[in-house]
Structures are given as structure tokens and as C-alpha cells.
Amino acid sequence: MFKKKPTASEVDGVQYRRAKLWQIICYACNGLVGMSVYSLIGMASYSASIGYGITTAAVGIILTCSRILDGITDPLLAFVYDRVNTKFGKLRILMVAGFLIEALALYGMFTGFSSKGLGLPVFALLYIVYIIGYTITNMTAQTIPAIMTNDPRQRPTIGVWTTAFNYLVPMAMSMIFNVVLLPKCGGTYNQAFLSAACNMTLLAAGIGTVLVCLGVSAYDKPETFVGTKKSEPLKMSDIVEVLKHNRPLQCYIASNASDKLAQQVGSQAIIGTLLSGIIIGNMGLATILMVISMVPSIFFAAFGAKYVGKHGSKKGIVNFTCISMVITAVLVVFFIVIDPKQIGVMGSPAMIIYVVLSLLQNGSNMCITTSNTSYMADAIDFELDRSGRYIPAVVSGTYSLVDKLITSFAAVIATGAVALLGYTTTMPQPTDPSTPAIFWMTMALKFGLPIIGWIITLVAMRSCPLTKEEMVNVQKRIAEKKAAAQSEFYKEQLQ
């Protein structure tokens, strides 16, 4: 007979809380909200140009300033988060409210007010309203994994499901946008295409919001948000204090913000047009190849979760980052030594090699994402152990503030780079000819920036104290402090 494998609680001597699988999957459906909107908002530069007549340079400035505003609103949401307590809970109210706000703004931006001759002020205002809604939804969702489970083996499982949705959803949206809608709308980005893409996005995001609310309903109650010390109203100084003293959070900010800046530059629709439409020369096939290389690589996330559950979030981030750097460097060399147009020829050796390399790159990136999801939950618990306060929105909001101040430059980097290529009043289209300048600029933005970000990650994680062993000690101390606080409460009641 096979001996039953001991649970994490039995091994570590800590009574961990665990979520049901269906609750984890429902939470992961937040990818339908965040990543479908992410796919749409990547085309904001096209909406600004086509629907509002805004120049390329002005678009970059607007998106950058809006991103900075987005970062500022993140920690401010912690004060709203702290005060929202209704009979319908905290998490569900904020998720629904955030979705409705961003849905109204996106509909106005891409459909309702687009191509009506309204110009820059209306576009900028709608973008600001979208940011407010996005902030409420995104920040609330970031706090949920730490609330659902503190089992070190299960936390990476949440990362697997969120990673799967976070990759599958934009993949599916990209297929719908570029393979289905774009040809129907004449093969170029125009108002009809933007309206259709917006409607599809809002439908997906609405379904995702309902499923997330269903998954978190069992945890959305006041006792979930109690710390080990008496609760006090949040102050602005709390945010500064967390940033100053939470060392794992500092390391995570340096690591993830640099990675996300590179990711967001590369995911801009105009960069995708440069790579798939102009350099490879076949937008539709390139999108299909991306899907082919992405779907199998999702299974890498399951391997990453097992690795993180055994070795800890920090080790997962470091090791999978090294692997991603090597594969990306090989991809750059591959593009240099071959004719990239051959990738766009169905069944060619270049196409097959490109799919394999992309699969490996996507797989290692998914393992990093899985590690990051687990790490953020660990950082929230580290703060509870350090300060005695359970303030997930403050921790995630503090991270997001710095993260978005850095990544706010993604749009201006992308649009600025495209402007240097000569696209000052128009945007790149898939039918444009390829040039050496376009090739090298695309290589630098799509592959060079991620490598720089990963180097920063490795440097930052060297000073991170949050090892697998330390997280076990953190959970033990939290359990002991909560037991002591409960005992003290009963003593006061008896007096």
C-alpha cells in the first residue's frame, strides 16, 4: 500500500487554511476581466489616433500621465478598501463597482464618443475614468490570493490557474481581434474594428466579474480581515512605513516592476504590428503561431507551481528568470541569422523553430508569473507578522504605486520608438514594408528590454530574506500571535 503523503500542515506544524479548487478557478476567472481589458487598452493609441485625431507623440504623453495617475490611485484605494464593510461583503462590492466604472469608460472611449470629432479632452477624461475603475477592480483582486489560502503548497496552485487565464485570455482575444474581426473590418485598424473589439471585451469582463464574486463569497466577511493587533484606521504614514520596512516588498517592487515595464512595452499593439505584421509579414499566421506556442506552455505553470511549493517563491523567481534570459537571447540570435519572412510561411523550418523557442520562452515566463503570485501573498503575510496588521490592500497598493510609476513609461517608450521610425502622424499598419531600422527597434523593445528587466530581478532577489524556511516561521509566528490575541480578548470579556 502507498503511504499517504503528509500535508503541509503536518510537515510544518502550522494549521494552514485551504481553498476549494472550484473557488480557486472562479477567482482565476479574474483573467477574463483584467486580461481582456488589457488586450483592448493596448489599442488605446489606435483609438486616440482614429477616433479622436490625436498625434502619436500626444498619445504617448497622455498614456504615460494616465499611468502615473493610475499608480497614485492604487494606494489611495487602500483607504476605501479598509472602510467598505456591507452585508454583501467588501470584495464583491468593490469588484462589481470597479467593473461598471471601467466598462462605461471603455465603451465611451472606443465606441460611444469615438469618431465624433470630440478630440483630446474627451479621450483623456474617459481614460482617467477607466483608470479609476481598473484600479478598484485590479487592486481588490490582488488581495484575494492571500485571503483564500496560506498553505505554501496551495498558493502556487492559485498561481497556476491565474497564469493559465492570464495567458489564455489575451491569446483568445488576440485571435478574435486579428484573425476574425480585423479581416472582417478591411484588414486595417478602423472605427468598426475598435467598436467590435470593445463589445467583445466588455462581454468577457462581465462574465469574469460574476465568476470572481462567486468564488470569493465564502471569504468575503469581516472576520477575514482581522490582524493580530487591535485595528486602527489607516493613515497615509502606514503606506510609507510599509514601503520603508517590508524588505521582501522592496525586492519584489524592483524585480516585478522592471519585468512589467518590458512586458507592457512589448505588448503594445503597435509593437505587435511591427513584429508580426511587418517583420514576419503575416499578421494572421503570426497570431495563430503565438497561440500554438502558448497553449502547451501553460502546462509549464503546473511544473512551476510544484517547484515553488517545494522550494519557495523566491527560488522559483530566480531560477526561472535565468532560464527565460537564456531562451530570449537565443530567440534574438535566431531572428538575426534567418530571414524573418520565412516564419510567416506555413510549415517552413523557420516557422517550426520559432514556435518551439516561443513555447519554451512562454513556459519559463509562466513559471515566473506563478512564482510572483505566490510571492505577493507571502509578502502580505510577512507584513502581518512584522506589524501585526492585516492590510493586504496597503501592501499591494504600495507595490502598485511604485510599479505603475515605472511602467507608466511603457506607452511613451513604444510610441516614442515608433515615432523615431517615422510614424509621427500615423500608426504602423501590417501592410507597411520592413526596414533594418524597424527590425532592430523591434528586437530591442520585444526582447532586449525583458533581458534588462531580468538582470534587475536577479540583483534585487539577492537581498530578499523570504526563503521557504522563513515563510514557515512567519506562519508559525502569525498563528501564535493570533492565539495570544484571542486569549487576551477572552480575558477582557471575563473581567
Side-chain angles (χ1 to χ4, degrees), residues 220-235:
D220 200 6
K221 42 196 175 185
E223 55 265 34
T224 300
F225 305 93
V226 175
T228 62
K229 288 184 180 179
K230 186 177 179 181
S231 179
E232 298 176 0
L234 282 177
K235 304 181 291 293

Side-chain angles (χ1 to χ4, degrees), residues 227-290:
T228 62
K229 288 184 180 179
K230 186 177 179 181
S231 179
E232 298 176 0
L234 282 177
K235 304 181 291 293
M236 188 61 71
S237 58
D238 292 327
I239 295 173
V240 177
E241 204 264 346
V242 167
L243 183 58
K244 187 176 179 182
H245 296 289
N246 191 317
R247 183 62 180 170
L249 181 63
Q250 295 171 357
C251 297
Y252 186 70
I253 288 171
S255 165
N256 210 33
S258 58
D259 290 353
K260 280 183 67 177
L261 174 62
Q263 178 194 23
Q264 292 197 11
V265 171
S267 65
Q268 295 289 313
I270 51 178
I271 305 303
T273 301
L274 292 178
L275 180 66
S276 301
I278 299 177
I279 293 177
I280 294 177
N282 192 332
M283 193 83 173
L285 179 60
T287 303
I288 294 171
L289 295 180
M290 179 191 71

Side-chain angles (χ1 to χ4, degrees), residues 99-118:
F99 165 70
L100 291 176
I101 293 171
E102 68 177 343
L104 288 171
L106 289 170
Y107 182 81
M109 188 190 310
F110 285 88
T111 300
F113 298 106
S114 187
S115 296
K116 302 288 194 299
L118 296 175

Side-chain angles (χ1 to χ4, degrees), residues 422-471:
Y423 294 98
T424 54
T425 57
T426 60
M427 292 293 178
Q429 293 291 350
T431 52
D432 294 347
S434 180
T435 66
I438 288 176
F439 175 84
W440 289 110
M441 184 67 79
T442 305
M443 292 298 104
L445 297 178
K446 191 71 178 178
F447 302 121
L449 280 180
I451 291 175
I452 294 172
W454 289 325
I455 292 171
I456 295 172
T457 292
L458 296 179
V459 173
M461 284 296 160
R462 289 184 64 182
S463 59
C464 175
L466 214 56
T467 61
K468 162 76 172 174
E469 296 73 24
E470 178 57 20
M471 270 312 300

Side-chain angles (χ1 to χ4, degrees), residues 119-151:
L120 189 150
V122 172
F123 178 83
L125 178 62
L126 288 170
Y127 204 95
I128 290 170
V129 176
Y130 150 72
I131 283 171
I132 294 170
Y134 169 81
T135 296
I136 296 171
T137 301
N138 185 55
M139 287 300 305
T140 302
Q142 282 188 31
T143 68
I144 294 175
I147 292 169
M148 295 181 78
T149 177
N150 65 346
D151 188 317

